[in-house]
């Protein structure tokens, strides 16, 4: 019996006798995005996803070589800055449609031994910098009547863990900042949300896995399953691209009513 087979290059509508459909325009065509901490990990994946969706991406990171290589790869613009210096935000572009506040650092120690200067540094990079970035970029979004703010929070923006006082404090503060922006910006067509992943397969986390395996004398697989993902129902690390897809979705055309939210991507951690 003969079967008909549509050539791969022929649009489905044309094969059925209807008019050929033009390819859909990328959802962020003509938009501009700014991503902090964009040279690696989650930030890199977000920059790639936003660029693939049509946005011109400002790649912000202190790692100059990596930022420049990524910007060249995706047709973006590199900005090599140290966000621990608050005034440096004033050198970044203000005229953007999408902001992804991703830059972050970590330090682990008991609270009574936690260095105060390190605590202050983490708040500066992970709370004050997002505030300054949004203070600079929101007026342009308001003027255009459209904007998307996505803050890369964490399961630690919703739950606490011992020895991470500065990080947990900063992520909780970022959650609060995001909600205030959501309330203020709604009338201007701007949304503000947090994405809250658990442990993501980033260079920082992979280094932690190797260090803990050596320290405890166990395999790296045991570190992931028994230590890092102890409270998660899904026993595998999250991929940066998965977080980036959630960020891109929040920037899409059907999410205008999603604002002031915290999207958990924690494998069931917060279901406990």
């Amino acid at each position: 019996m003969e079967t008909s087979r549509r050539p791969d290059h022929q649009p489905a509508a044309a094969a059925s006798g209807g008019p050929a459909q033009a390819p859909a325009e990328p959802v962020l065509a003509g938009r501009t995005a700014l991503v902090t901490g964009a040279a690696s990990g989650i930030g890199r994946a977000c920059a790639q996803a936003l660029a693939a969706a049509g946005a011109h991406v400002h790649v912000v990171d202190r790692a100059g070589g990596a930022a420049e290589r990524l910007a060249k790869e995706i047709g973006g613009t590199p900005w090599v800055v140290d966000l621990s210096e608050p005034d440096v935000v004033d050198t970044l572009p203000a005229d953007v449609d999408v902001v992804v506040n991703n830059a972050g650092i970590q330090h682990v120690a008991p609270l009574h031994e936690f260095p105060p200067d390190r605590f202050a540094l983490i708040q500066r990079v992970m709370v004050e910098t997002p505030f300054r970035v949004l203070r600079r970029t929101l007026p342009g979004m308001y003027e255009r009547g459209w904007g998307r703010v996505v803050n890369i929070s964490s399961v630690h923006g919703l739950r606490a863990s011992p020895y991470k006082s500065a990080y947990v404090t900063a992520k909780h503060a970022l959650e609060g900042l995001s909600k205030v922006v959501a309330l203020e910006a709604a009338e201007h067509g701007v949304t503000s949300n947090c994405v809250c992943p658990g442990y993501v397969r980033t260079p920082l986390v992979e280094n932690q896995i190797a260090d803990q395996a050596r320290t405890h004398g166990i395999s790296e697989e045991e570190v992931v399953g028994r230590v890092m993902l102890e409270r998660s129902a899904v026993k595998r690390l999250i991929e940066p691209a998965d977080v980036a897809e959630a960020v891109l979705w929040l920037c899409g055309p059907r999410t205008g009513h999603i604002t002031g939210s915290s999207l958990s991507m924690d494998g069931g951690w917060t279901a406990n």
Side-chain angles (χ1 to χ4, degrees):
M1 181 176 68
E2 291 187 3
T3 59
S4 60
R5 183 174 183 273
R6 187 174 77 248
D8 291 339
H9 67 275
Q10 186 178 7
S16 61
Q21 299 295 315
E25 186 176 47
V27 294
L28 293 178
R31 303 290 189 187
T32 303
L34 185 149
V35 182
T36 66
S40 65
I42 294 172
R44 177 183 174 85
C46 288
Q48 291 172 321
L50 293 169
H56 180 89
V57 181
H58 294 288
V59 177
V60 181
D61 205 290
R62 64 180 180 179
E68 289 165 0
R69 286 191 295 273
L70 176 61
K72 183 177 180 180
E73 171 193 321
I74 65 175
T77 303
W79 296 84
V80 183
V81 296
D82 184 350
L83 293 174
S84 69
E85 301 174 9
D87 291 343
V88 80
V89 170
D90 293 336
T91 69
L92 299 177
D95 190 17
V96 298
D97 303 295
V98 174
V99 167
V100 179
N101 285 309
N102 167 71
I105 51 179
Q106 177 65 283
H107 186 86
V108 178
L111 192 142
H112 66 282
E113 298 176 359
F114 209 102
D117 59 343
R118 192 69 177 173
F119 186 96
L121 172 65
I122 290 173
Q123 308 315 305
R124 201 155 60 242
V125 172
M126 296 171 58
V127 183
E128 184 175 350
T129 290
F131 160 76
R132 286 177 175 266
V133 168
L134 293 173
R135 184 176 183 273
R136 182 168 171 78
T137 57
L138 282 173
M141 296 184 195
Y142 291 174
E143 184 177 341
R144 291 184 295 277
W146 191 93
R148 295 290 183 265
V149 176
V150 184
N151 301 296
I152 305 301
S153 181
S154 165
V155 65
H156 284 116
L158 308 172
R159 299 288 188 273
S161 289
Y163 312 121
K164 298 180 179 180
S165 57
Y167 189 86
V168 170
T169 298
K171 291 301 188 183
H172 274 67
L174 185 63
E175 294 275 340
L177 176 65
S178 182
K179 290 178 172 64
V180 170
V181 172
L183 296 179
E184 293 186 8
E187 64 180 296
H188 303 287
V190 178
T191 65
S192 175
N193 294 286
C194 288
V195 175
C196 305
Y199 283 103
V200 181
R201 193 185 304 279
T202 63
L204 178 65
V205 167
E206 290 185 327
N207 289 337
Q208 290 179 8
I209 293 170
D211 289 343
Q212 291 200 35
R214 286 191 296 269
T215 299
H216 298 292
I218 59 178
S219 70
E220 293 188 2
E221 290 75 14
E222 288 177 297
V223 170
V224 172
R226 288 171 43 193
V227 180
M228 289 186 165
L229 302 182
E230 178 185 6
R231 286 178 281 183
S232 296
V234 179
K235 300 296 186 183
R236 62 177 181 272
L237 296 177
I238 303 162
E239 299 300 329
D242 295 338
V243 181
E245 284 297 318
V247 171
L248 180 59
W249 176 70
L250 287 170
C251 296
R254 298 289 182 265
T255 54
H257 282 82
I258 301 176
T259 195
S261 297
S262 299
L263 176 60
S264 294
M265 299 183 65
D266 59 15
W269 183 330
T270 52
N272 287 307

